[in-house]
Amino acid sequence: MFIPVEKSENKNENYQKLLETLPYYINKDDPWYTTLANATAILDYFLDDINWVGFYIKHGDDLFLGPFQGKAACTKILMGSGVCGHAAINQKTVRVDDVNQFEGHITCDSDSQSEIVIPLLRKGSLIGVLDIDAPVLSRFDETDQKHLEKVAQLLVDNMS
Ligand code: SME
């Protein structure tokens, strides 16, 4: 894949580069899975210390595995279950510093130690969630949350 952007050592700068790069790979006429597929590749390129990044999409009452980068993962998550279902039902970002301390955490990759899940919301309706796992504890802080929520909004505003 062609991402002609040098990564930065600075986290904020790197997120700026990510947010500037993403629109080049978004075409409003493309189906949602095309947009989200490239988004996973771009997130995987720019984010350090992660082992899984992908989307679960709301289909019926549950969440189903969408485009992702990483090891094969569980295909269906019930609304309210795990970190993803929790973020989905509450329509709020969930940051987990240690997945072993999160009751009901669903293990897909045993390397995962911390996790962030951001809901994708359009006019208050849940479309799905962006889920990112890291092989280190406390990988995601407020800065990550702020920028990843912008990524989620950019995607929701531009995908069909
Ligand atoms: N850990 C998630 C399940 C999805 S995997 O991390 C890819 C959860 O508890 O919802």
Side-chain angles (χ1 to χ4, degrees), residues 52 56 65 73-74 77 81-85 99 102 104-109 112 115 117 131 133:
W52 201 92
Y56 280 88
L65 184 62
C74 48
I77 296 178
S81 293
V83 187
C84 290
V99 295
F102 188 95
H105 169 258
I106 301 163
T107 304
C108 291
D109 181 345
S112 300
E115 181 164 4
V117 180
D131 178 19
D133 287 15

Side-chain angles (χ1 to χ4, degrees), residues 118-122 148-158:
I118 297 106
L120 303 185
L121 300 167
R122 182 180 280 144
L148 291 169
E149 285 176 348
K150 281 190 198 160
V151 169
Q153 198 54 54
L154 182 66
L155 291 170
V156 168
D157 290 345
N158 291 285

Side-chain angles (χ1 to χ4, degrees), residues 1-70:
M1 178 176 175
F2 181 59
I3 301 179
V5 179
E6 287 291 314
K7 279 171 72 171
S8 166
E9 294 295 310
N10 177 284
K11 191 152 132 172
N12 274 303
E13 264 178 39
N14 225 17
Y15 272 117
Q16 285 313 321
K17 287 179 180 224
L18 192 169
L19 284 158
E20 283 164 19
T21 302
L22 197 50
Y24 289 103
Y25 293 87
I26 296 176
N27 180 346
K28 271 197 167 194
D29 297 331
D30 289 343
W32 63 266
Y33 45 85
T34 301
T35 301
L36 296 190
N38 263 341
T40 63
I42 293 164
L43 285 158
D44 193 48
Y45 175 81
F46 280 105
L47 296 183
D48 292 324
D49 296 325
I50 65 166
N51 59 306
W52 201 92
V53 51
F55 296 90
Y56 280 88
I57 305 300
K58 187 165 184 288
H59 180 73
D61 290 336
D62 303 316
L63 296 168
F64 286 85
L65 184 62
F68 71 95
Q69 313 268 320

